[in-house]
């Protein structure tokens, strides 16, 4: 079984630019070739004759890529320079962050402390300090 259904253009063997006349003329040869069932050929022709359904099909079908002249010339600067491979140190288990359910439960435990503030207090380990601020130069 094919991975995809053939498009109506493939069933009838016509280009996407074909008009209604070409669609009608392609039905007979498609039937004689016998590559597709009679129902598939009739459905394909009916779909392509309907302008709204054909537009919907054309929008959903990806266009084939257009050939690019001078690809080798365009890629020459990239292909001439070798790729830079960065050696990274191996990841150690100590470098990984581990989040445990108990720690999360402790951070967001109920009941919240009684206060008149509209927002709950931030746990101490998530509080902002000078380590999260960018360096600031103060003019003299």
């Amino acid at each position: 079984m094919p991975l995809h259904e053939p498009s109506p253009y493939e069933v009838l063997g016509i280009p996407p630019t074909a008009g209604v006349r070409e669609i009608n003329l392609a039905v007979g040869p498609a039937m004689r070739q016998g590559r597709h069932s009679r129902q598939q050929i009739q459905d394909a022709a009916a779909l392509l004759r309907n302008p709204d359904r054909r537009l919907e099909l054309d929008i959903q079908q990806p266009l084939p890529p257009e050939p690019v002249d001078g690809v080798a010339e365009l890629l020459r600067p990239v292909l001439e320079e070798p790729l830079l491979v960065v050696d990274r140190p191996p990841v150690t288990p100590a470098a990984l962050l581990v989040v445990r359910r108990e720690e999360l439960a402790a951070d967001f435990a109920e009941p919240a402390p009684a206060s008149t503030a509209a927002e709950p207090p931030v746990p101490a380990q998530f509080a902002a300090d000078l380590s999260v601020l960018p360096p600031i130069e103060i003019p003299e």
Side-chain angles (χ1 to χ4, degrees):
M1 182 172 181
L3 294 176
H4 70 285
E5 291 290 322
S7 76
Y9 297 111
E10 292 170 356
V11 171
L12 295 175
I14 57 174
T17 57
V20 175
R21 178 174 166 75
E22 290 90 350
I23 295 168
N24 293 336
L25 292 174
V27 171
M31 293 275 194
R32 284 190 292 277
Q33 288 176 352
R35 291 187 303 163
H36 303 284
S37 70
R38 181 180 191 96
Q39 187 63 42
Q40 280 182 310
I41 295 170
Q42 289 175 346
D43 290 345
L47 187 143
L48 294 178
R49 285 185 198 119
N50 183 332
D52 295 333
R53 291 182 60 205
R54 184 173 180 175
L55 178 62
E56 182 179 336
L57 172 75
D58 291 344
I59 290 172
Q60 292 175 356
Q61 292 290 328
L63 293 175
E66 294 184 15
V68 178
D69 294 333
V71 172
E73 188 62 34
L74 292 171
L75 294 177
R76 187 178 317 283
V78 176
L79 298 175
E80 287 177 353
E81 296 179 20
L83 295 175
L84 176 65
V85 178
V86 178
D87 292 330
R88 294 185 178 179
V91 177
T92 60
L96 299 175
L97 174 67
V98 177
V99 178
R100 294 183 177 83
R101 183 175 293 279
E102 299 83 29
E103 294 172 358
L104 287 175
D107 289 339
F108 299 100
E110 292 291 335
S115 81
T116 58
E119 295 184 13
V122 176
Q125 70 187 57
F126 299 116
D129 58 6
L130 294 178
S131 66
V132 298
L133 297 176
I136 300 172
E137 294 184 22
I138 301 173
E140 294 183 24

